[in-house]
Amino acid sequence: GEDNALSLTFRSQPRNCPTLKLPRGAEVNCSESADDCLSNVAPGTNVTFKCKEHHISSYAYSSVDMLCEGKKGTWKNNLPFSCSLQCGIFPPVPTTQEASLAFEKMSWNGLIASYSSLNESTSPTPLCSAVSIDSAFALTSAKC
């Protein structure tokens, strides 16, 4: 007899890429206009990680550009990436009014001050400064 074999061809559907975790101290830019481009990412989407302002890459490269490849649902050029605070870099303070806004950007710096009276509407008297060495600890001089 004749062999009547059935031949089936399956076409693979494009697969979304796995969820990405936003690296510490980094920001993300995507080629898609979606609000969240870290999870359920469509094939063909480009994702770029780069360090936030006042941060520096922990690696020899300053950013990572990745592409979601749909055939396998994998990330092309998925390199490790993280950023750390670039301590000691002070943003310019153009005016006195903007000074408090500038200090907010220097999150690793601290000021220890006291009020000369119980009236907290008066300006505090600076005593000494400190630098953040961890999320829970600050380093200051012994006299402080």
Side-chain angles (χ1 to χ4, degrees):
E2 247 178 73
D3 190 5
N4 290 330
L6 180 61
S7 174
L8 296 174
T9 303
F10 292 98
R11 295 182 192 249
S12 62
Q13 295 292 321
R15 295 173 53 187
N16 287 352
C17 287
T19 298
L20 291 171
K21 184 178 177 187
L22 183 63
R24 182 186 74 235
E27 59 188 24
V28 63
N29 291 315
C30 306
S31 62
E32 300 297 319
S33 61
D35 291 335
D36 179 17
C37 66
L38 298 177
S39 60
N40 200 23
V41 180
T45 301
N46 287 303
V47 174
T48 302
F49 289 133
K50 68 177 187 174
C51 293
K52 293 179 182 178
E53 185 179 20
H54 302 298
H55 287 71
I56 189 167
S57 175
S58 303
Y59 297 91
Y61 40 91
S62 61
S63 64
V64 173
D65 296 310
M66 297 179 289
L67 173 67
C68 177
E69 293 186 322
K71 285 185 178 181
K72 298 178 185 177
T74 58
W75 289 104
K76 182 178 180 183
N77 199 31
N78 189 1
L79 299 173
F81 191 73
S82 66
C83 306
S84 57
L85 280 173
Q86 190 177 15
C87 295
I89 304 298
F90 297 98
V93 182
T95 67
T96 306
Q97 293 173 335
E98 295 174 349
S100 62
L101 296 175
F103 281 113
E104 288 177 15
K105 293 181 179 181
M106 297 186 295
S107 58
W108 59 90
N109 287 305
L111 175 66
I112 300 172
S114 71
Y115 288 96
S116 58
S117 69
L118 295 177
N119 182 1
E120 292 187 7
S121 65
T122 62
S123 297
T125 303
L127 297 176
C128 53
S129 63
V131 63
S132 174
I133 58 172
D134 188 282
S135 62
F137 296 99
L139 180 66
T140 188
S141 66
K143 72 174 186 124
C144 218

